[in-house]
Amino acid sequence: MSCAEPKRCHHNQLVNCGDCRLGPLCLPIALNTAEIDQLDDIVKRGRPLGKGEHLFRQAEAFGAVYAVRSGSFKAYSTSDDGTEQVTGFYLPGEILGMDGISSLKHCSSAVALETSTVCEIPFGRLEELSSQLPSLQRRFFQIMGNEITKDQQMLTLLGKNSAEERVASLLLSISSRNHHRNLSPTRFRLSMSRAEIGNYMGLTVETVSRVFSRLQKQEVIGVDNREVEILDMARLKSVANVT
């Protein structure tokens, strides 16, 4: 996409919250034009982050939340013995960094899985603005509630489901999130590796690869390295045990 069209280009630093194509997924969804301008005044848009570059690290002081504009991020926590646990993947239009709100320190790290850009929203100024704009406050609470629900669903998934159900559920999640971004729900590229998927879902990389191969052999999905095509959405939902 060319940056010659500033109101369409998610890499363009001049795009504001009112112009952004991700607005319906992000905080501005509940705001009128004047309120969006107030939010835009506090948003910071920095340089792109390269693959492997950290947005923030575990135990760092919390000062802002971040809306993904382009690319994708992996959130992970590190135990005292250095073991890494992937805690989530974030796509454009999604908010990350809220893990630091309660303790004022980030409980996890966030690293770019590819060249990515974010909108940085200083939390102190967001709190101040939220107190003046009830619609913004409600939207932020809704986003926090969605994060809690997502965490609960993940715990349920890890506690009860088979490897096939877990992988199928992740593919359906990415499909749904792409659909809400007006992208193809059936053809997409996985920015995360098989090892990162396995870490996130409590599976070995070998098991993840076997599940992908099995689903491909059954013609439920087509796979070419990280390129995935969902060939039979109904069967994929059946594998995931989704009604």
Side-chain angles (χ1 to χ4, degrees):
M1 181 182 295
S2 169
C3 286
E5 301 177 56
K7 292 198 174 188
R8 291 285 182 185
C9 181
H10 51 257
H11 293 292
N12 195 302
Q13 298 298 309
L14 299 178
V15 172
N16 61 36
C17 293
D19 297 331
C20 183
R21 63 188 177 86
L22 300 172
L25 301 178
C26 192
L27 289 170
I29 189 172
L31 306 181
N32 61 39
T33 303
E35 292 170 339
I36 288 175
D37 288 343
Q38 288 180 267
L39 175 62
D40 196 61
D41 285 341
I42 70 172
V43 172
K44 300 177 181 178
R45 297 175 181 87
R47 63 174 180 79
L49 283 80
K51 180 179 179 180
E53 194 170 351
H54 280 79
L55 180 60
F56 55 80
R57 291 182 183 271
Q58 185 173 331
E60 281 185 353
F62 167 77
V65 294
Y66 304 87
V68 183
R69 295 175 63 201
S70 65
S72 57
F73 288 84
K74 173 183 73 175
Y76 69 93
S77 60
T78 307
S79 64
D80 292 339
D81 64 2
T83 302
E84 180 181 308
Q85 175 61 57
V86 177
T87 56
F89 301 109
Y90 292 84
L91 305 179
E94 298 176 350
I95 308 289
L96 71 161
M98 292 188 291
D99 62 316
I101 292 175
S102 60
S103 64
L104 299 183
K105 286 188 177 180
H106 287 290
C107 302
S108 61
S109 302
V111 62
L113 292 172
E114 56 195 313
T115 300
S116 305
T117 57
V118 298
C119 292
E120 178 182 343
I121 310 169
F123 191 70
R125 299 196 65 187
L126 179 61
E127 273 190 308
E128 186 179 313
L129 188 58
S130 294
S131 67
Q132 302 167 23
L133 305 176
S135 55
L136 176 61
Q137 188 176 67
R138 282 194 299 272
R139 176 60 179 157
F140 192 70
F141 286 159
Q142 183 184 44
I143 290 172
M144 292 181 67
N146 289 340
E147 281 293 301
I148 293 170
T149 299
K150 189 167 68 175
D151 290 344
Q152 291 173 336
Q153 289 172 340
M154 190 63 200
L155 288 173
T156 301
L157 186 66
L158 295 180
K160 296 183 178 180
N161 294 8
S162 67
E164 284 80 2
E165 287 174 302
R166 297 181 196 188
V167 173
S169 295
L170 177 63
L171 293 177
L172 287 174
S173 171
I174 295 172
S175 170
S176 174
R177 290 149 79 181
N178 273 4
H179 174 71
H180 286 116
R181 291 156 54 210
N182 293 319
L183 298 177
S184 173
T186 57
R187 296 176 66 97
F188 45 83
R189 182 182 183 278
L190 298 174
S191 57
M192 65 290 293
S193 68
R194 301 287 192 271
E196 288 166 331
I197 291 172
N199 184 300
Y200 179 54
M201 313 210 81
L203 303 169
T204 65
V205 63
E206 294 80 10
T207 298
V208 173
S209 295
R210 281 197 298 270
V211 171
F212 272 97
S213 296
R214 206 150 42 230
L215 291 174
Q216 184 169 27
K217 195 171 294 184
Q218 295 167 354
E219 298 185 341
V220 177
I221 62 173
V223 182
D224 181 9
N225 196 11
R226 294 195 183 190
E227 302 292 331
V228 174
E229 181 178 7
I230 299 176
L231 303 173
D232 192 330
M233 185 69 76
R235 287 183 66 191
L236 186 63
K237 288 181 178 179
S238 177
V239 172
N241 199 22
V242 174
T243 55

